[in-house]
Amino acid sequence: MLTYIVLLGPPGVGKGTQSKFIANELNLPHISTGDIFRANIKQGNELGKLADSFISKGQLVPDDVTIAMLRERFTQPDCKNGAILDGFPRTPAQADALELLLNSLGGRVNLVLFITAPAESLIERLAGRWTCRAQGHVFHERFNPPKVKGICDIDGSELYQRDDDKAETVLNRIEIYKNQTAPLIQYYTERKLLTEVNGIESIEAVSAEIKSVLKKVLPSG
Ligand code: ADP
Ligand code: ADP
């Protein structure tokens, strides 16, 4: 059976952290469009240069570029049973494109987990976020510190602070989320796919809540 789960929510709410947990639970790939853009930026290729010109300002990368990139990612063999989508879709146009794409694969979005937290928590979480260069694992200097400062527990690579996690860019990203991404709350509510998860609790408590939602919603979850 094909399973597709979308993680929706503002920047810093914990989508990446919980996606890794769900991917592990369900043995599905974690697809983060932000991580794929950052990998292309690191390589210095054309897609990376284009994406960087938007990401550095906290703006969304244009839909056509992002949709084409996701379509390509879905052709890889690890996606044969579905995927956990983190940070995609981020606009109604992307959600429409996703529906068409999944139709063509014989699947559909099974569940949208909408994670919420107040703006002051988002700012605090992003200000202390440390991201791993190799695979995008995330830590927090207070809420989820690595065992050794500056080193990823999982793959030993260097941890860095993302440029777009600086306070001025964060406020812009939260605004863009409200204007361009928040309409997806209604979009997926109308389709009866949305479940809201309170993201204010600890990482473990949020994971436990998500686990109970998966049990209810997915037949074999
Ligand atoms: P997103 O992918 O939504 O931007 P992340 O998963 O990268 O969010 O989390 C943002 C930061 O907040 C990271 O540093 C992460 O370790 C931390 N974090 C995630 N979930 C929680 C939580 N429930 N409580 C406290 N900190 C959290
Ligand atoms: P966060 O962890 O804060 O939610 P991401 O790592 O998901 O951030 O995304 C970082 C940046 O990459 C976004 O601010 C945006 O510029 C770009 N991006 C990621 N996903 C998308 C998308 N689906 N559509 C457009 N831009 C995207």
Side-chain angles (χ1 to χ4, degrees), residues 9-18 86 125-126 128-130 138-141 143-144 162 173 199-204 206:
V13 79
K15 300 181 299 297
T17 302
Q18 298 302 334
D86 163 14
R125 287 180 187 183
L126 292 175
R129 169 157 73 180
W130 287 84
V138 294
F139 297 85
H140 191 280
E141 58 192 20
F143 305 133
N144 181 24
R162 280 169 44 180
R173 283 162 62 203
I200 191 72
E201 305 297 334
S202 69
I203 293 174
E204 294 71 24
V206 177

Side-chain angles (χ1 to χ4, degrees), residues 6-24 28-35 38 84-88 90 113 115 122 125-126 129-131 135-139 144 154 162 173 203 206-207 210:
V6 169
L7 279 280
L8 179 64
V13 79
K15 300 181 299 297
T17 302
Q18 298 302 334
S19 292
K20 293 254 185 259
F21 167 77
I22 303 168
N24 213 21
L28 289 171
H30 165 209
I31 299 183
S32 154
T33 39
D35 282 352
R38 282 184 290 278
I84 310 304
L85 293 174
D86 163 14
F88 186 99
R90 252 178 163 98
L113 291 165
I115 313 181
L122 306 176
R125 287 180 187 183
L126 292 175
R129 169 157 73 180
W130 287 84
T131 303
Q135 297 183 65
H137 299 115
V138 294
F139 297 85
N144 181 24
I154 300 153
R162 280 169 44 180
R173 283 162 62 203
I203 293 174
V206 177
S207 296
I210 288 178

Side-chain angles (χ1 to χ4, degrees), residues 4-8 19 22 83-89 98 102 109-114 184 188 193:
Y4 296 94
I5 298 176
V6 169
L7 279 280
L8 179 64
S19 292
I22 303 168
I84 310 304
L85 293 174
D86 163 14
F88 186 99
L98 179 64
L102 296 188
V109 172
N110 299 89
L111 170 67
V112 177
L113 291 165
F114 169 43
L184 292 177
Y188 284 121
L193 292 172

